[in-house]
Amino acid sequence: MWLLPAVIVIVMVLSIGQWAYAEFSFHNQFSYIDETKVMHILGEIKNESDHSMRNVLITISFYDREENLLDEFTRVPALRVINPGESSPFEILFTDQKAVDDVANFTMLATGQTTELKEKQLKIISANSRLDLLGTYYIYAVARNEGQESATNAIMIATLYDKDGRVIAIGNALAEAGPGSSNITAGSRAPFGIPITEKMQTPKTAKYSLVAESDQYGSDMIVLQASGPGLANGNQTQSGCLIATAAFGSDLAPQVQQLRLFRDGIALKTSAGSSFINVFNAWYYSFSPSVSNYERQTPWIQNIVRTLIYPLLGILSISALVYDLFTFGSELGIVAAGITASSLVGLLYFAPLGIA
């Protein structure tokens, strides 16, 4: 395996009706050959010009030790629009398995079109991650649309870095804004569940970045510390909704993510909510691992738990609306949301037992 040097290039950019010059630079590069003999070239491309760029194409030319051209591949970066001074991750694959061992060097260049600046109206409001024991890195995040129009085709891009700051893996996921929809309406929030499955690289993760983008808007990039095997970064030492995950079959199921959205995007943003979650976790994790393990082996229990969780999701949706009414005070909002949730839970789940 060859670790190939960073490349800084000046490229010609096709603008509408004329040719113009712009500058891109490539950073934090990393390369590896996977178990199928495919070479991965990863890194970040930075827009060094004074204009936003769309339709960016990265072309990489691979050479052997005698500087003979082996092949060329073209790929788009992860972001659709790169604003001035900002970067986007990219990954390019060398798929000629017979020639991959002959690769000694490469060159890169990029082309694109000038476009309007993309407004930063998407805000990433919470995120947590964990590396499972099988090597899959899960990232769960929530973004809010602070713009005046719907953010259509909203996507979140995750970039994993090693201890030296090199890009080692990239993942993305569409917003789960509603059944079959990735459009985040104005003023609302949506969860994103991003699994990254490059198991040769994920254990090396030291930090990760997140950035959101839609057809209309972008977001600022945030950088967070990574988690270790079986753990999640953030305030909780255990962050899994174990019983719900066992019921719905995956911790990326929309129902599980809605539970996390209320916890991470609302409750943990306040002192009162964090205190409650800490007490709740001490109780919940005292029994949930054994219950969830039994649940996975018993389909009829899974069906019962799913039936019980669906009304709870509706209650949390109502409680979230109550919380959003208290824009002047999040602590008061979480208390009001908690009273709403506990009242509805008592009415729905426990009142029938009293009547019986």
Side-chain angles (χ1 to χ4, degrees), residues 39-344:
M39 175 177 281
H40 300 245
I41 307 294
L42 302 101
E44 292 174 310
I45 178 173
K46 183 177 181 180
N47 179 4
E48 304 279 7
S49 76
D50 297 327
H51 305 282
S52 295
M53 296 293 165
R54 65 183 176 91
N55 297 332
V56 176
L57 291 176
I58 302 171
T59 300
I60 183 167
S61 302
F62 293 90
Y63 299 89
D64 63 16
R65 292 173 179 80
E66 284 74 41
E67 296 300 320
N68 298 312
L69 178 65
L70 295 172
D71 215 332
E72 288 187 341
F73 296 92
T74 299
R75 192 78 176 262
V76 298
L79 287 175
R80 288 166 271 185
V81 173
I82 308 176
N83 283 338
E86 297 183 355
S87 300
S88 171
F90 68 86
E91 181 176 13
I92 297 177
L93 306 180
F94 183 89
T95 56
D96 187 343
Q97 297 167 317
K98 295 181 179 179
V100 67
D101 291 328
D102 297 327
V103 175
N105 202 354
F106 65 81
T107 60
M108 291 192 293
L109 58 82
T111 61
Q113 286 182 294
T114 58
T115 189
E116 295 181 356
L117 187 76
K118 181 164 279 193
E119 294 182 51
K120 301 291 186 65
Q121 296 292 352
L122 296 177
K123 183 177 181 181
I124 301 171
I125 58 176
S126 68
N128 59 63
S129 69
R130 68 180 179 88
L131 176 65
D132 73 13
L133 297 178
L134 297 178
T136 299
Y137 201 93
Y138 293 97
I139 298 172
Y140 176 79
V142 178
R144 182 171 59 236
N145 178 7
E146 299 184 340
Q148 298 299 311
E149 58 181 305
S150 291
T152 57
N153 300 312
I155 190 172
M156 189 171 292
I157 298 150
T159 306
L160 305 188
Y161 305 88
D162 66 11
K163 62 181 178 62
D164 298 317
R166 299 175 301 181
V167 176
I168 56 172
I170 301 169
N172 64 71
L174 291 169
E176 298 187 9
S181 175
S182 59
N183 303 332
I184 310 175
T185 57
S188 65
R189 57 170 70 92
F192 299 78
I194 309 171
I196 301 177
T197 59
E198 285 80 1
K199 299 176 183 179
M200 291 176 61
Q201 306 306 322
T202 52
K204 306 173 187 176
T205 305
K207 62 181 180 178
Y208 66 97
S209 68
L210 296 173
V211 62
E213 185 184 34
S214 71
D215 294 330
Q216 298 78 13
Y217 305 128
S219 80
D220 288 320
M221 179 180 290
I222 65 169
V223 180
L224 301 168
Q225 293 300 308
S227 64
L231 299 177
N233 64 341
N235 295 327
Q236 278 64 47
T237 57
Q238 302 184 70
S239 68
C241 302
L242 301 182
I243 294 175
T245 298
F248 291 99
S250 170
D251 61 1
L252 295 178
Q255 298 85 356
V256 179
Q257 292 186 10
Q258 185 176 344
L259 294 173
R260 285 207 185 100
L261 172 60
F262 187 85
R263 183 195 66 189
D264 297 342
I266 296 179
L268 289 177
K269 293 298 181 182
T270 65
S271 297
S274 295
S275 297
F276 171 79
I277 292 297
N278 287 335
V279 173
F280 175 80
N281 279 353
W283 170 74
Y284 178 74
Y285 288 110
S286 67
F287 64 86
S288 60
S290 56
V291 171
S292 61
N293 287 336
Y294 182 71
E295 183 185 353
R296 290 188 186 93
Q297 304 169 27
T298 316
W300 67 269
I301 292 182
Q302 288 178 312
N303 292 332
I304 291 175
V305 172
R306 283 195 293 266
T307 301
L308 292 173
I309 286 177
Y310 280 117
L312 177 61
L313 298 177
I315 290 172
L316 293 181
S317 295
I318 295 171
S319 300
L321 292 175
V322 171
Y323 174 83
D324 288 337
L325 293 175
F326 291 81
T327 55
F328 52 87
S330 59
E331 294 295 334
L332 185 58
I334 193 62
V335 171
I339 293 173
T340 301
S342 58
S343 299
L344 292 175

